[in-house]
Amino acid sequence: MNYFKTNNPYKKWKNKAQKFELNFHINNEWRPSEDFENHSRLLFNFFGFKEDSFTSKNILDLGAGSKLRTKYFKGSKIFVIEPLADEFIKNIEWCDLMDAEKVYSIASEEIVAELVNNIDYIFCINVLDHCYDLDKIIYNCNKYLKINGSACLSFDIHEEDVDDGHPIHIEKTMFENILTENGFETSKIITGLPDEDTDSYGHGDAITYFVKKIKDL
């Protein structure tokens, strides 16, 4: 895509965004509080999930950050891909990523061979506009999911990359084309968030795609 070729988002992601994210999480006061857990419960309920929705299933928390929202789900095996996982575990006392079944400290654009065709459901919350190559990530999602597996992809739509933490912006039509090209069917779209005071994760307007893998790539 021309946007990615002309704006070199990888360089911005590597040199600026990752430093921005590490500093943000180290100094974050919300995630170690009860408010974060309560908000995760509120968010998943808003999306239509219950604590037992994925009992005995494999969940991939893609871009998990420093604290696991997906611990909300009981009886699930949680796998984590988070590029700053090693730094979070090393530098943040309250980081709980090690509670997951396995943690991969790599970019979402890289592939983890042992997860291919092994995941029942992917959660990717407030992540995609913080990355550098949407095509690779959605392609990888297809590879990870079992046939008929599904994903919840939630992020902010904004017209431009607004700061060092957002190497790219995502346009709705562009994203929907990427989903189709990578073997996904959209079953539902939700706009906004359940919060009383905002409909954004931070920049723009939140949108959530619920998608199903309909073919292998």
Side-chain angles (χ1 to χ4, degrees):
M1 293 188 178
N2 290 337
Y3 176 83
F4 298 126
K5 291 179 180 178
T6 58
N7 287 269
N8 197 357
Y10 174 74
K11 183 177 180 180
K12 184 175 180 180
W13 177 85
K14 182 179 180 181
N15 296 336
K16 292 185 177 181
Q18 289 296 276
K19 294 177 182 178
F20 177 94
E21 291 292 341
L22 180 59
N23 183 66
F24 175 82
H25 282 267
I26 287 176
N27 294 290
N28 192 266
E29 297 181 355
W30 179 54
R31 280 168 176 78
S33 73
E34 289 184 4
D35 290 341
F36 180 78
E37 184 177 339
N38 292 336
H39 186 267
S40 295
R41 184 180 300 107
L42 177 70
L43 188 64
F44 288 130
N45 288 342
F46 177 68
F47 289 157
F49 300 110
K50 299 179 180 179
E51 289 185 345
D52 61 354
S53 291
F54 301 103
T55 301
S56 301
K57 300 294 185 180
N58 292 341
I59 292 175
L60 174 59
D61 197 330
L62 188 62
S66 55
K67 198 168 178 67
L68 292 171
R69 285 188 182 272
T70 47
K71 282 174 68 174
Y72 165 79
F73 297 107
K74 307 302 182 185
S76 306
K77 284 187 177 181
I78 300 171
F79 297 86
V80 167
I81 293 177
E82 166 53 57
L84 290 170
D86 288 346
E87 292 297 324
F88 290 154
I89 292 167
K90 177 182 177 181
N91 294 291
I92 301 177
E93 182 179 357
W94 45 261
C95 175
D96 65 355
L97 296 186
M98 293 305 294
D99 291 342
E101 188 78 12
K102 197 159 185 180
V103 180
Y104 304 89
S105 190
I106 62 170
S108 298
E109 289 83 354
E110 299 179 41
I111 193 77
V112 179
E114 64 184 321
L115 293 184
V116 170
N117 295 323
N118 194 38
I119 299 298
D120 296 290
Y121 207 96
I122 295 173
F123 283 96
C124 185
I125 299 175
N126 190 22
V127 173
L128 294 178
D129 54 327
H130 296 259
C131 298
Y132 62 87
D133 194 322
L134 276 177
D135 292 272
K136 286 184 178 179
I137 295 173
I138 303 304
Y139 173 85
N140 289 347
C141 285
N142 179 290
K143 301 299 286 184
Y144 293 140
L145 287 170
K146 302 173 182 178
I147 195 67
N148 295 322
S150 298
C152 170
L153 309 173
S154 190
F155 54 92
D156 282 337
I157 292 283
H158 45 88
E159 293 185 358
E160 57 186 18
D161 38 306
V162 292
D163 58 31
D164 288 344
H166 299 81
I168 61 172
H169 66 271
I170 304 174
E171 298 169 359
K172 194 171 183 289
T173 300
M174 173 189 76
F175 184 68
E176 291 172 3
N177 288 338
I178 291 174
L179 289 173
T180 300
E181 291 165 2
N182 284 283
F184 285 102
E185 179 181 75
T186 300
S187 58
K188 182 171 64 173
I189 300 174
I190 292 179
T191 57
L193 295 172
D195 306 70
E196 293 182 0
D197 57 347
T198 183
D199 275 324
S200 170
Y201 288 109
H203 300 285
D205 299 307
I207 190 166
T208 304
Y209 286 80
F210 299 86
V211 301
K212 181 178 180 180
K213 174 180 172 177
I214 57 173
K215 67 177 180 180
D216 285 316
L217 298 180

